[in-house]
Amino acid sequence: MNKKIHLLVLRDILARRYQFGALMVIIGLGIAVYVCLTVAFENIGRSYDRTYRETNFADFTVEIDSAPASTVEEIRGLPNVEAVVGRQVIDTGLVAPGDRLVQARLVGVPADRRPEVNDIVIEVGRYLQPSDTDALLPVLAFADFYGLKPGDTLQVQSPSGLKDFEIAGIVSSPEYLILAESKQDFLASPRRFGVFFLPETRLEQLFGREGEINEVGVVVSNEAAREETLSAVEGVLAPYGVKVATFSEDQPSKAATELDLEGGRQFATLLPALILAVGAFAIYIAMSRLVHAQRTIIGLFRAVGYGTVAIIGHYLLIAAVIAAAGAAGGIAVGYGLSYALTDAYAAALDIPLVTNEFQAVPILVGVLVSLLVSLVAAAVPAWSAARLLPASAMRPSPEVALTKGYSSQVERVFALGRRPPMLLRVSLRNVWRAPRRTFYTVGAISLALLLLVIGFSTFDSMNFTIDKQFGETDRWDVAAAFSASKGEDSLAEARAIDGVTMAEPIYMTPATATSGSEATNVELLAMEPEQRLHGFDLDGGGDAGEILTRGEVILPTGVADKLGVGRGDRLNISTGGRTASLEVGGVSNEAMGGLAYLSMATLEGELGLPAGFNGLLIETASPSKNEPVQMALYEMAGVAGVQIKDEMRNDFQEVLALFSVMIWFVVAFCMVMAAAIVFNTMTVNVLEREREIATMRTLGSSSWFVASALLGESLALGLLAVAPGLVLGTLASSYLMASFQSEFFSMLFHVSTRTYVVVASLVLAAILVSTLPSIRHCDRMNLAEATKVLA
Amino acid sequence: MNDSTSDTPPLSTSAPLLDLRGVAKVFESGQANVTALSDVDLAFQKGELIVVLGPSGSGKTTLLNLLGGLDRPTSGSIAYTGIDIATLSDRDLGRFRREHIGFVFQFFNLIPTLTARENVEFAAELVMQDRHSVDETAERLLNLVGLSERSDHFPSQLSGGEQQRVAIARALAKDPDILLCDEPTGNLDFRTGQQILALLQSLTSERGKTCVLVTHNSAITPIGNRALRLRDGRVQSDEVNSEPVAAADVEW
């Protein structure tokens, strides 16, 4: 190939520097987002793995009622057991700064050595010493929230009253990287929940459980054989009332981090893919117009002997330059941002052991993808250039024309049946004059709309989910949990508290639900069938009270999906060493999963749990009564925790607010993209119509007329994209939400009318703004020269 | 001063429609300046058909651009009925073009997305508010140029000659005093070119339009009642032709 033709590559790019600059920006954005998110989430994943590995995270844990500590040595002797820990885990109350009562999970650890399994990482201060009796180690999230430091004192609620404990150090725990109290409350806020590590002997003594354990954590040598090992461990613990066994991937914090990572990885693929698809559209449009504009040059080159390969190579080289520039910028920016994102993420989640390793694969993929996208997009225009016959190519380009009446119906619709004004005719016909270009422009704008709908509908779905969960499902105001089963007298005591208008007993206990080969850990929530403080939204309707009375179970959507069961199916529920086969009476659409609802009578009759309750759902007379009722409940014997629903709701919203940052990031990207696309299209439109526009100005058309015609054309393109963009966005968002469902949380999909209006308005505004440079160009046009432009 | 070889007075002794005094146009091109026009003194009267001739680079098109208000002179004045258009604002210059100038281009420059009728209406609407007047004007002018049967065709569906006739109808739609035609037959075959020239001739003789016709083609000089020759940006000759020949009688 001759070098002269390639000299034109640089000149072509420089001549259209703003247009090609916009293309480079779009490709660069796609690559930057891909590299940033891919590298960051890979490093975050590695950081999690490193933390789990270095803290010897349990492969499985088994909760039991109570077993002698000596069983640990028996388990240690089992095959495939590499390490084991037996400990007490007790939920109780704690007085946080400001005399605020919060839920505390107390975990016993040896004071003379580090835990063999589920070790902790000291962030500030020191680990426990054998001389420590009344010392504890709060997790970092709680300490940060309340501004605690070593030396501060906290009061722990015990059967013998409040006891002072001094903070020896502040720690991170692999079990609470996300402060998940349980699968049902996996986004607990440190405002109301904290985890504290205490000397095991002191904890046992404080709660009268000397020499006992209620949880065993095991690390296995061969992970492939962990199920057999678990069976063996359950065999040893069977006499002591096995409640539930949990594999590491189901451990609430780890499951939540995995879900989070999975979401991030999907995001890291989907978002760049969409941006690059838009980039491909834009490159196709720009290259097509370049070929169109250079017909005579192409004809000349063909006439003097340049071959097909040289012509195709010329245009592909331009695309390759765009790809290379976009990839270089995108990789540099994306890689730089990935470190910032990893650090910010690790800091937000208190990941103690962060890994930021160099990754070559995303860079390589970034380069290849940008090249692939650009070359594929330019291939058709390049091929069409190579196929031009020299003689026809060297003739002045035929005007792009319309056939008679081509757009008259559309115009009439806009003009309500009358002959439309000239401005409307000029604007609309320019939309139709190049249908393929219009199609790709509309396609690209639709993709920008699609991304915006995904972004905004995520907000809608979050708000809808929160409203549904805390408005329709949870109808109680305050909920109390007890460490042991309570009777009628306690219920009467609660009902007598000032401000309580209704109190309903519940019984919660961990269980394993199994259907076929699918199994999951759930919290059984037994209630009276006639209860009113939990609202069910049953698929296909039905009366929840009747279902519960019939002895059937109601599952939240997430759990039903996980087990693959629906109404009428049967499943096995195991707890405390007993298994019952129960029919699924209904599936309830609710956000929080990890639960299974049944009646108190079924719990007692089928699963042999004692009569009584260990939780209360309470309705108060008014929100102002919530805190006094909470304080009064804490006065009751055996109370392990009291939650106010409004606080939970606020906590939930705060956690989701972190997520919002990423969504706003997407929204900003979409706006830039929509603007870049339209800027590109309108620039092309104006450049190739310079003579036409200059003629209008020469005839005496005002700048206002030309500007209005261009804005009208942009607006028409935008309006054409609105419907498909909103529809596709809704479908894509619905699909994405479905992929974010898990057994313990279901985001309920919802798009508000406001979202459609806002998204359409934002894109149309971006479109109009990006038309302004073209208008300015027309305003400054040299009319004498422009009226002679041929192509 | 100019290099005119003729002191022949203009056709009319009344005040000129366009009066150019000491007009010069210099284009800055990097470090070198290019003088396109220099010391041009000219006066154009109502009803004249002026054929402007000269080789490439002689300043023909620059002169046309200055007359039409598409460009401003570097020095000198261009008075239209006494008003110096060189001093007008962009906005007023736009209005001057809209109200007084009709352009006819070598490549027709029709708006491809508008039909023949709509191209004419486009120009008419610039100066007329009344819908009925616009319709009537388009109808009348398309009839005048012999295209009433083809009025709903788009430019791509018309021959070159038909497109140029639409362009002339469009130029007339604003009822301008002056028609500026840049190589109007340059892209047409001989027969069609003759028809276009005949049309321009009738517009000057019967409707009193002033027509400045720029061309490379000296064979069409006799159709005008004045021939202006430019060379190197100066007026080489300015001759009156008291007996123009009919367009149908010229050949090239």
Side-chain angles (χ1 to χ4, degrees), chain B residues 37 42 44 49-61 63-64 181-183 185 212-224 226-239 241:
Chain B
L37 283 179
L42 287 169
F44 298 137
L49 171 53
I50 306 113
V51 179
V52 182
L53 296 148
S56 292
S58 60
K60 305 187 297 294
T61 302
L63 175 66
L64 208 63
C181 310
D182 191 2
E183 300 275 10
T185 58
V212 182
L213 192 160
V214 164
T215 183
H216 276 101
N217 187 355
S218 56
I220 64 174
T221 310
I223 71 158
R226 191 167 162 193
L228 199 62
R229 285 188 170 77
L230 299 182
R231 179 177 283 276
D232 297 332
R234 292 173 183 274
V235 178
Q236 191 180 36
S237 67
D238 184 359
E239 297 167 354
N241 177 12

Side-chain angles (χ1 to χ4, degrees), chain A residues 464-476 532-537 589 645 649:
Chain A
F464 181 76
T465 302
I466 289 171
D467 286 345
K468 171 122 179 161
Q469 181 64 36
F470 296 103
E472 296 176 25
T473 306
D474 292 337
R475 296 174 182 174
W476 46 270
R532 288 166 54 191
L533 295 180
H534 183 93
F536 290 102
D537 174 16
N589 294 308
K645 186 177 73 177
R649 181 188 181 118

